[in-house]
């Protein structure tokens, strides 16, 4: 079964929480076919570093950059970028 995992990050997210979320995705028994991370507006260099770190560990991480329009719009953009019918959040 192929599916996407979708998450959004924005400037106020703590890098250690984003790292923990990505690590959790990576450690699942059933691996996602792709991981879509939507950047909602500008984010800190620390958050960018965490995402870049996981792009190396999870080759299927895709970063979608969105204007700062809020979580709903960010998730909509992520669903539009998904390659699969099943999108897990």
């Amino acid at each position: 079964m192929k599916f996407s995992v979708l998450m959004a990050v924005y400037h106020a997210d703590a890098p250690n929480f984003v790292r923990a979320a990505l690590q959790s995705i990576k450690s699942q028994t059933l691996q996602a076919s792709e991981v879509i991370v939507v950047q909602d507006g500008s984010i800190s260099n620390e958050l960018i570093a965490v995402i870049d770190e996981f792009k190396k560990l999870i080759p299927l991480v895709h970063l979608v950059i969105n204007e700062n329009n809020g979580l709903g719009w960010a998730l909509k953009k992520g669903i539009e970028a998904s390659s699969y019918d099943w999108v897990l959040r």
Side-chain angles (χ1 to χ4, degrees):
M1 176 167 130
K2 294 193 173 204
F3 63 93
S4 304
V5 173
L6 172 60
M7 63 183 289
V9 295
Y10 80 118
H11 69 89
D13 285 332
N16 59 326
F17 291 158
V18 173
R19 179 178 280 109
L22 288 167
Q23 185 61 45
S24 175
I25 293 167
K26 181 181 178 301
S27 67
Q28 297 302 308
T29 303
L30 183 58
Q31 290 293 301
S33 304
E34 69 181 351
V35 177
I36 300 171
V37 179
V38 180
Q39 175 183 322
D40 191 24
S42 61
I43 59 175
S44 69
N45 288 334
E46 292 84 6
L47 282 171
I48 292 170
V50 169
I51 294 166
D52 286 345
E53 171 189 336
F54 277 88
K55 279 179 156 180
K56 295 173 188 167
L57 298 174
I58 307 172
L60 301 168
V61 169
H62 304 290
L63 179 64
V64 176
I65 300 175
N66 187 45
E67 294 178 21
N68 188 7
N69 292 324
L71 182 60
W73 281 104
L75 296 178
K76 179 180 182 296
K77 290 291 185 186
I79 289 171
E80 290 171 356
S82 174
S83 303
Y84 304 102
D85 291 335
W86 289 90
V87 180
L88 306 179
R89 171 134 159 75

